């Protein structure tokens, strides 16, 4: 366990040094989306039997927390290949999985910030979201899945150009095809099918479903599905970190 | 024997980085790997410290077979890598703390270890400075100090003075000697500086293109050639001849009609006579 803390501590100190800048960047995005879609276009609009802003906020929660949690891919990659800080971890008498756990924990922590911001905002604006243990469980699974994905990408994709391409060809489309801004069952057939392949679709349904119990979006089927995805990601992450050499 | 290596081989695709090297390191000594760029020095250190997991050959640490997967080996070794990998976004203190946590050092013990290492490396006043703002020499001291936090019994130093100016290099030599003598730490260092191996090491392995070309005490290796070198400056090349006494060398020099110089034999001569090339081209 000492390795988990060591790695997490390093990232915490790193994050602290970046301070205000990083916190702001994790909040500015959802705030802008809120303004543009929630108040600009969506004012007075209704989707799936609720006001658009009520529909949108859970989507913004999953989108922005995914971005932050997945974002460790770049940070971990830079500290491994560019600054060679990873070498310190590989030399230490710790299990390789501890490195993974420390980084993933950090990614999950980063993902939590915009969630807190958006939940705070909705309480303030009087949007009735219900925070239940089931919601917390779904949020946990969502953060875990995307932090793991970020870690995997950091280990597997060495070049920055490839990372950027992955982001614009996979991550960004995923945001638009995953129920975040608009229900995918209202989309053209192709987009809908693509959406079914995106794990974000399921975590969005789970998070929106638990925050808005009236929406009937929640299903244990999705929950099991997320657990399955996480187990698969975990297996890949463990193999990659075990194989890592300096 | 602290470390025994038998017939160590490593390929990177087409490149044969190590072509079957064997050597031993004795407890408490300063042991040096001397060799030009690409000789396989870093590859050897990476294998011995578990950073490269795939290799062929046999490695014993104090008689026990080494495997990169056994964590207990990692507690007895400290490693200073060739490239500077201080965590530049963190302070000196935070850099040291991360290493302490990695080795399970907490609380009072941690503070004690950090204090001792700061004293040893002369970084006392810099605890709260960002590592990135330290000078090159201080960054080197920081990574050496970091490697000593968990009190390793064997310290690996991969080209510890490369890129440092001569005065800083000398102070680094003093530090390394201090660690060896005061801490009783076995030191395994690599270098391509002849003086460094000569000054610091009790024993040297001369490595070239993945092969051991010579090993032994610097004194013995040199004496096998002679004690004095006569450098003869021909128009297109420098020729070297070896003599047991200065008188013989001077006599030979007077008999020549080209410029020449007499000096003591060094390890470069050993390398040259064995490989036909110089260490630094
Ligand atoms: N990861 C790698 N992939 C491919 N080839 C490698 C790799 N690491 C080392 N090599 C090759 O193996 C050989 C030995 O390299 P090594 O780094 O061990 O040399 P060295 O003695 O440390 O040299 P230097 O003084 O430049 O540090 C070189 O030819 C190098 O190009
Ligand atoms: Mg090297």
């Amino acid at each position: 366990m000492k390795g988990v803390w060591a790695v997490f501590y390093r990232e915490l100190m790193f994050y602290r040094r970046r301070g205000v800048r990083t916190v702001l960047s994790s909040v500015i995005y959802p705030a802008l989306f809120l303004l543009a879609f929630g108040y600009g276009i969506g004012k007075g609009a209704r989707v799936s039997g609720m006001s658009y802003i009520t529909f949108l906020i859970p989507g913004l929660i999953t989108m922005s927390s995914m971005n932050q949690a997945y974002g460790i891919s770049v940070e971990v990659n830079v500290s491994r290949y560019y600054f060679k800080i990873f070498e310190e971890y590989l030399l230490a008498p710790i299990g390789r999985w501890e490195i993974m756990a420390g980084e993933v924990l950090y990614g999950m922590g980063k993902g939590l910030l915009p969630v807190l911001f958006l939940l705070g905002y909705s309480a303030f604006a009087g949007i009735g979201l219900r925070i239940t243990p089931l919601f917390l469980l779904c949020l946990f699974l969502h953060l875990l899945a995307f932090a793991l994905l970020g870690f995997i990408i950091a280990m597997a994709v060495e070049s920055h150009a490839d990372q950027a391409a992955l982001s614009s060809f996979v991550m960004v489309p995923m945001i638009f095809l995953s129920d975040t801004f608009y229900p995918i069952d209202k989309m053209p057939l192709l987009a809908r099918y693509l959406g079914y392949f995106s794990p974000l679709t399921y975590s969005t349904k789970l998070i929106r479903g638990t925050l808005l119990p009236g929406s009937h979006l929640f299903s244990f089927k999705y929950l099991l599905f997320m657990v399955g995805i996480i187990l698969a990601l975990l297996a890949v992450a463990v193999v990659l970190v075990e194989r890592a050499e300096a | 024997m602290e470390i025994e290596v038998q017939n160590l081989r490593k390929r990177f695709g087409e490149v044969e980085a190590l072509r079957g090297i064997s050597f031993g390191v004795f407890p408490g000594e300063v042991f040096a790997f001397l060799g030009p760029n690409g000789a396989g020095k870093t590859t050897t250190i990476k294998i011995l410290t578990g950073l490269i997991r795939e290799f062929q050959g046999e490695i014993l640490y104090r008689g026990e077979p080494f495997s990169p997967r056994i964590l207990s080996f990692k507690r007895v070794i400290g490693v200073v890598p060739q490239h500077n990998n201080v965590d530049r976004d963190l302070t000196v203190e935070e850099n040291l703390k991360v290493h302490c946590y990695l080795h399970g050092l907490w609380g009072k013990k941690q503070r004690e270890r950090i204090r001792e290492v700061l004293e040893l490396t002369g970084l006392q006043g810099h605890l709260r400075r960002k590592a990135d703002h330290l000078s090159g020499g201080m960054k080197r001291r920081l990574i050496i100090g970091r490697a000593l936090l968990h009190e390793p019994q064997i310290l690996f130093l991969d080209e510890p003075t490369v890129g440092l100016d001569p005065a800083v290099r000398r102070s680094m030599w003093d530090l390394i000697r201090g660690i060896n003598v005061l801490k009783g730490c076995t030191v395994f260092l690599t270098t391509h500086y002849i003086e460094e191996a000569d000054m610091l090491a009790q024993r040297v392995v001369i490595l070239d293109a993945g092969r051991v070309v010579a090993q032994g005490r610097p004194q013995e290796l040199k004496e096998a050639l002679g004690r004095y070198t006569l450098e003869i400056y021909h128009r297109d090349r420098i020729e070297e001849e070896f003599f047991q006494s200065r008188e013989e060398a001077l006599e030979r020099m007077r008999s020549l009609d080209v410029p020449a110089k007499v000096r003591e034999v060094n390890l470069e001569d050993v390398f040259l006579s064995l490989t036909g090339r110089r260490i630094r081209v």
Side-chain angles (χ1 to χ4, degrees):
Chain A
M1 287 309 281
K2 58 184 189 233
V4 183
W5 168 248
V7 173
F8 187 69
Y9 170 83
R10 187 267 158 186
E11 298 296 8
L12 222 56
M13 292 302 112
F14 175 80
Y15 194 79
R16 203 185 63 171
R17 195 107 313 124
R18 309 262 143 154
V20 186
R21 220 181 334 154
T22 26
V23 175
L24 273 184
S25 82
S26 75
V27 162
I28 262 174
Y29 235 148
L32 286 176
F33 272 100
L34 205 58
L35 272 175
F37 292 105
Y39 294 97
I41 306 170
K43 189 126 198 178
R46 296 188 72 77
V47 174
S48 309
M50 61 186 92
S51 79
Y52 183 58
I53 191 94
T54 309
F55 177 87
L56 180 65
I57 283 186
L60 286 181
I61 286 179
T62 55
M63 177 206 80
S64 49
S65 58
M66 173 187 91
N67 276 337
Q68 289 295 317
Y70 174 80
I72 63 166
S73 65
V74 178
E75 288 174 42
V76 173
N77 189 269
V78 167
S79 69
R80 175 169 183 204
Y81 291 105
Y82 191 62
F83 293 123
K84 312 267 182 198
I85 289 160
F86 229 69
E87 214 169 289
E88 263 282 278
Y89 305 155
L90 298 180
L91 285 167
I94 57 171
R96 291 288 179 91
W97 67 270
E98 297 182 55
I99 304 171
M100 174 196 73
E103 300 287 13
V104 166
L105 216 56
Y106 166 62
M108 292 175 72
K110 272 182 67 172
L112 209 53
L113 271 176
V115 177
L116 295 177
F117 163 72
L118 284 161
L119 288 178
Y121 171 80
S122 350
F124 173 76
I127 294 162
L129 302 178
R130 288 261 293 278
I131 296 164
T132 58
L134 198 57
F135 160 72
L136 295 177
L137 174 68
C138 294
L139 180 65
F140 175 83
L141 294 178
H142 165 74
L143 291 173
L144 179 57
F146 286 102
L148 273 171
L149 187 64
F151 182 77
I152 288 171
I153 299 302
M155 301 298 286
V157 183
E158 191 173 334
S159 106
H160 289 253
D162 292 347
Q163 284 225 1
L166 208 65
S167 165
S168 44
F169 288 115
V170 181
M171 298 309 284
V172 172
M174 192 148 97
I175 290 171
F176 287 91
L177 297 174
S178 299
D179 255 4
T180 42
F181 302 129
Y182 205 76
I184 53 165
D185 28 292
K186 300 272 166 59
M187 290 205 180
L189 202 60
L190 178 66
R192 222 188 305 163
Y193 279 124
L194 285 174
Y196 290 141
F197 283 102
S198 150
L200 186 61
T201 303
Y202 303 98
S203 59
T204 303
K205 281 187 196 300
L206 287 172
I207 283 172
R208 184 175 284 129
T210 49
L211 281 172
L212 306 167
S215 66
H216 304 293
L217 285 168
F218 178 84
S219 153
F220 278 104
K221 194 172 67 189
Y222 300 147
L223 200 66
L224 279 179
F225 192 71
M226 280 307 283
V227 171
I229 289 177
I230 286 167
L231 290 178
L233 290 172
L234 207 55
V236 175
V238 167
V239 168
L240 287 177
V241 76
E242 276 297 330
R243 278 209 322 225
E245 287 190 338
Chain B
M1 197 87 90
E2 198 90 309
I3 309 172
E4 252 181 288
V5 173
Q6 281 297 329
N7 205 17
L8 188 62
R9 290 172 184 279
K10 174 71 193 176
R11 294 189 78 98
F12 296 104
E14 292 289 287
V15 183
E16 256 191 295
L18 297 175
R19 303 160 188 251
I21 61 170
S22 304
F23 61 91
V25 181
F26 292 111
E29 73 176 348
V30 176
F31 175 91
F33 248 32
L34 174 65
N37 291 128
K41 305 181 294 292
T42 299
T43 304
T44 309
I45 286 201
K46 283 190 170 175
I47 292 173
L48 291 176
T49 57
L51 287 175
I52 291 177
R53 292 184 158 195
E54 306 292 327
F55 59 85
Q56 280 139 37
E58 204 189 347
I59 300 168
L60 301 176
Y61 267 81
R62 298 174 175 179
E64 306 241 347
F66 165 82
S67 149
R69 284 168 205 283
I70 304 175
L71 295 186
S72 60
F73 288 116
K74 298 186 168 183
R75 283 189 256 279
V76 297
I77 62 171
V79 184
V80 177
Q82 180 169 358
H83 47 261
N84 172 0
N85 75 340
V86 292
D87 206 331
R88 30 187 104 195
D89 292 292
L90 270 51
T91 62
V92 170
E93 182 177 28
E94 288 159 355
N95 264 281
L96 297 174
K97 278 175 118 175
V98 170
H99 188 94
C100 283
Y101 289 134
L102 284 168
H103 285 266
L105 294 166
W106 304 79
K108 187 156 166 278
K109 179 80 186 152
Q110 183 186 92
R111 285 193 296 276
E112 273 172 28
R113 291 302 307 142
I114 290 181
R115 183 154 36 82
E116 199 203 306
V117 156
L118 287 172
E119 241 165 68
L120 190 71
T121 54
L123 287 170
Q124 293 98 328
H126 306 282
L127 208 53
R128 310 234 179 267
R129 278 181 78 184
K130 212 172 133 182
D132 201 23
H133 298 163
L134 300 177
S135 70
M138 275 150 74
K139 281 187 186 131
R140 277 265 131 186
R141 285 171 176 275
L142 175 58
I143 39 180
I144 294 177
R146 186 181 69 183
L148 292 170
L149 281 168
H150 58 286
E151 303 182 87
Q153 285 143 12
I154 309 168
L155 181 65
F156 291 90
L157 296 153
D158 198 357
E159 309 220 15
T161 65
V162 75
L164 300 178
D165 64 57
V168 180
R169 170 170 309 148
R170 272 176 201 284
S171 78
M172 208 59 77
W173 289 352
D174 292 339
L175 175 62
I176 293 167
R177 260 197 223 102
I179 292 164
N180 175 243
V181 175
L182 301 174
K183 305 261 115 203
C185 200
T186 306
V187 173
F188 184 135
L189 68 87
T190 75
T191 183
H192 60 254
Y193 296 118
I194 295 97
E195 329 81 89
E196 189 158 288
D198 226 343
M199 293 286 296
L200 282 177
Q202 275 108 59
R203 283 183 334 109
V204 178
V205 160
I206 300 180
L207 199 66
D208 182 44
R211 281 202 186 84
V212 173
V213 293
Q215 59 180 314
R217 301 183 169 279
Q219 207 53 37
E220 289 165 6
L221 293 175
K222 291 185 287 187
E223 275 168 6
L225 290 179
R227 293 193 52 201
Y228 292 92
T229 304
L230 179 66
E231 285 185 357
I232 307 169
Y233 302 102
H234 297 290
R235 195 160 301 147
D236 53 342
R237 71 200 155 88
I238 303 172
E239 189 191 350
E240 278 155 342
E241 289 179 7
F242 305 104
F243 298 91
Q244 285 308 329
S245 72
R246 184 179 281 274
E247 289 66 41
E248 289 171 77
L250 288 171
E251 197 173 317
R252 168 80 174 122
M253 186 167 92
R254 281 190 291 271
S255 76
L256 294 166
D257 48 9
V258 288
K261 194 180 96 183
V262 177
R263 58 164 174 78
E264 288 185 13
V265 169
N266 63 30
L267 287 173
E268 174 101 60
D269 300 328
V270 177
F271 187 82
L272 184 69
S273 71
L274 290 167
T275 65
R277 286 175 294 111
R278 287 170 199 282
I279 290 185
R280 268 177 293 173
V281 218

